[in-house]
Amino acid sequence: MVKIFVTGDNHFGRKYDRYPEVKDKLIQSRFDCLRDMIHKAESETCELFVVTGDLFDNINTVKVEDVKQVVDILAMFSGTVIVLPGNHDYYTGDEKVWKDFENALSSRDHNVILIKEFRPYSFSTHEEKVVVYPAFCQSKHSKENNLNWIKDADIQKTGVINIGVAHGAIRGVTPDMKEEYFLMTENELSGIPVDAWLIGHTHIPYPDGLEEDSDTAGYKIFNAGTHEQTDLHNNTAGNGFIISIEKKDCVAKVLAKKYISGKVRFYDLQITVKPDSEAALADALRAALDGKSKNAVVRVRVSGSIKQSEYQDKEKIYREILGEYLTYEKEDNELSEEITVEKIRTEFAETSFAAQFMEALMDNPTELQMAYQLLRSCRENEQ
């Protein structure tokens, strides 16, 4: 049997300039999570630690000290580390990030293998011979994947555990509307006689039904997703996969479980508020955030209407509730003060057409709000 820890889409070198007040904390957390995964792989007695692409965020601007820190962490693993270039950190031989990576490796003892050729890579573990068939990226975009050489390979079916490692979108799993991210299909992958596929590119884990504390059988294609949520555009706790493969004759038994590796979360929340109480906004914010980690970046987009007293205090409410998180941003252009009869009669003459028109819409808050904004705008233009 061979045990493998799988990660990918780590994106070291991500700058987080959008969050200047916590950018250093966000950057460091990704390193801390990688270190924890190495420790977990050791505790699980994994023999291979596989990075399925996009270890780095780009090929040119990752700091040398960041590359060195990644190398230092990976080199802690007592087994073999396999690093596949992805579409963000693709490999042709000229990329600065990989030159810095190999320079950092050259100054220390290590068992880290950077995949640079389309060929089988053989490894011997304590019990098994393992052959890795890689499909790495040589560009950021491609209409074609790099599986063809593996399809043509003479893959030995007995006496060896065969593992495919590829980076690219999976049809039906990863959004790829233009089909420009090395698109693969599950049928295409399953048609190649390897015992398991380890895929990178999709930041959300696939399959998503793996448990933490027990192994799951029945899967052959695995995409661990990013080890820590990268931004507001994906919703994941950050995962690695631990995969065990046992083979008898030409039949492989594949078991997998997940390891929740992420520390920082990104929450993108949409909240609609009604003026049901004097604390409608505060209650809605607390309800949306209930049970969520405080070690998080939060964006809230608020719409609807609230009572006058709360509307006047909304900035204070945001600070008090959202200020408990790492950092936050809010968009509330579509949040308005409740329009009451008293408010209408304060701003418009009671007998005016405008006041009577709006009062007739009191049972339809959406149309009332539109009418109020239009009539107020017309009045302001006349002045």
Side-chain angles (χ1 to χ4, degrees):
M1 183 178 74
V2 63
K3 290 187 75 174
I4 309 162
F5 194 101
V6 185
T7 183
D9 298 283
N10 314 98
H11 288 276
F12 290 104
R14 202 173 187 88
K15 293 182 171 59
Y16 290 107
D17 290 335
R18 179 171 178 168
Y19 311 107
E21 66 279 11
V22 293
K23 65 176 293 184
D24 291 343
K25 183 176 291 188
L26 297 176
I27 290 169
Q28 184 57 46
S29 183
R30 303 194 76 79
F31 291 106
D32 295 340
C33 292
L34 180 63
R35 187 177 291 105
D36 288 350
M37 288 194 297
I38 292 291
H39 292 322
K40 181 65 174 178
E42 293 283 3
S43 70
E44 291 280 342
T45 64
C46 294
E47 294 138 307
L48 298 176
F49 189 96
V50 178
V51 181
T52 59
D54 287 355
L55 177 62
F56 298 105
D57 195 54
N58 61 77
I59 58 172
N60 292 316
T61 65
V62 183
K63 295 178 181 178
V64 173
E65 55 265 35
D66 287 351
V67 175
K68 184 178 184 303
Q69 188 173 176
V70 170
V71 166
D72 289 344
I73 295 170
L74 293 178
M76 293 166 51
F77 186 58
S78 60
T80 299
V81 177
I82 300 170
V83 178
L84 186 87
N87 71 303
H88 276 263
D89 57 4
Y90 59 85
Y91 181 88
T92 65
D94 296 324
E95 291 73 29
K96 178 181 181 298
V97 71
W98 293 123
K99 291 179 180 179
D100 293 340
F101 185 82
E102 294 194 298
N103 285 338
L105 286 174
S106 67
S107 63
R108 60 173 306 139
D109 293 332
H110 68 88
N111 197 19
V112 179
I113 308 299
L114 173 61
I115 299 293
K116 300 189 288 187
E117 300 176 69
F118 293 115
R119 65 170 177 84
Y121 285 72
S122 297
F123 304 93
S124 294
T125 66
H126 292 106
E127 299 179 1
E128 304 285 354
K129 178 182 178 182
V130 178
V131 179
V132 170
Y133 293 85
F136 62 94
C137 298
Q138 295 176 302
S139 60
K140 189 167 185 178
H141 303 100
S142 175
K143 293 285 188 181
E144 297 181 358
N145 61 50
N146 289 318
L147 298 175
N148 283 339
W149 83 268
I150 307 175
K151 294 176 183 178
D152 295 336
D154 183 15
I155 298 176
Q156 180 181 334
K157 295 181 176 60
T158 60
V160 60
I161 292 176
N162 299 301
I163 301 170
V165 185
H167 192 91
I170 302 174
R171 188 184 298 278
V173 176
T174 317
D176 186 10
M177 301 301 291
K178 296 182 179 179
E179 299 189 357
E180 59 183 2
Y181 289 106
F182 304 86
L183 187 64
M184 301 169 275
T185 68
E186 292 188 77
N187 286 339
E188 183 179 22
L189 292 167
S190 297
I192 299 173
V194 297
D195 300 308
W197 276 106
L198 312 180
I199 309 295
H201 183 67
T202 309
H203 287 198
I204 303 297
Y206 176 80
D208 62 0
L210 300 186
E211 303 290 337
E212 279 189 85
D213 300 321
S214 60
D215 288 315
T216 301
Y219 296 103
K220 178 180 177 179
I221 301 170
F222 302 94
N223 184 306
T226 183
H227 74 305
E228 180 164 77
Q229 191 175 354
T230 50
D231 52 38
L232 292 164
H233 294 101
N234 69 291
N235 183 21
T236 173
N239 297 275
F241 284 174
I242 299 166
I243 297 174
S244 304
I245 305 175
E246 186 174 5
K247 193 169 185 179
K248 184 175 182 181
D249 297 327
C250 61
V251 179
K253 180 181 180 181
V254 182
L255 301 175
K257 62 182 178 181
K258 69 179 177 181
Y259 168 64
I260 296 179
S261 53
K263 300 178 185 296
V264 174
R265 294 300 308 270
F266 288 75
Y267 299 124
D268 191 10
L269 307 173
Q270 292 185 325
I271 301 170
T272 301
V273 193
K274 295 181 179 180
D276 297 331
S277 72
E278 298 290 342
L281 175 60
D283 290 345
L285 287 171
R286 291 192 178 98
L289 291 162
D290 184 44
K292 290 182 167 50
S293 170
K294 292 292 196 298
N295 194 35
V297 174
V298 178
R299 178 171 69 180
V300 293
R301 289 179 279 185
V302 189
S303 61
S305 62
I306 53 179
K307 293 189 179 297
Q308 181 184 50
S309 59
E310 198 175 29
Y311 190 82
Q312 292 173 344
D313 290 339
K314 64 188 177 82
E315 297 302 328
K316 180 182 177 182
I317 293 169
Y318 292 137
R319 289 194 300 270
E320 288 179 351
I321 297 176
L322 300 177
E324 298 180 7
Y325 297 83
L326 288 179
T327 188
Y328 73 89
E329 53 187 287
K330 47 85 179 174
E331 299 175 9
D332 64 354
N333 294 335
E334 296 184 11
L335 178 67
S336 61
E337 178 185 336
E338 179 188 21
I339 302 171
T340 62
V341 172
E342 291 76 15
K343 181 177 177 63
I344 293 171
R345 292 178 180 178
T346 298
E347 298 185 30
F348 297 86
E350 182 178 345
T351 58
S352 67
F353 167 78
Q356 294 180 27
F357 178 67
M358 285 187 283
E359 289 183 31
L361 296 172
M362 292 302 296
D363 292 334
N364 193 324
T366 301
E367 291 186 9
L368 174 60
Q369 183 63 233
M370 294 172 60
Y372 172 78
Q373 291 174 344
L374 178 61
L375 290 168
R376 189 175 64 174
S377 175
C378 290
R379 187 182 61 184
E380 290 171 352
N381 290 336
E382 289 175 358
Q383 294 173 350

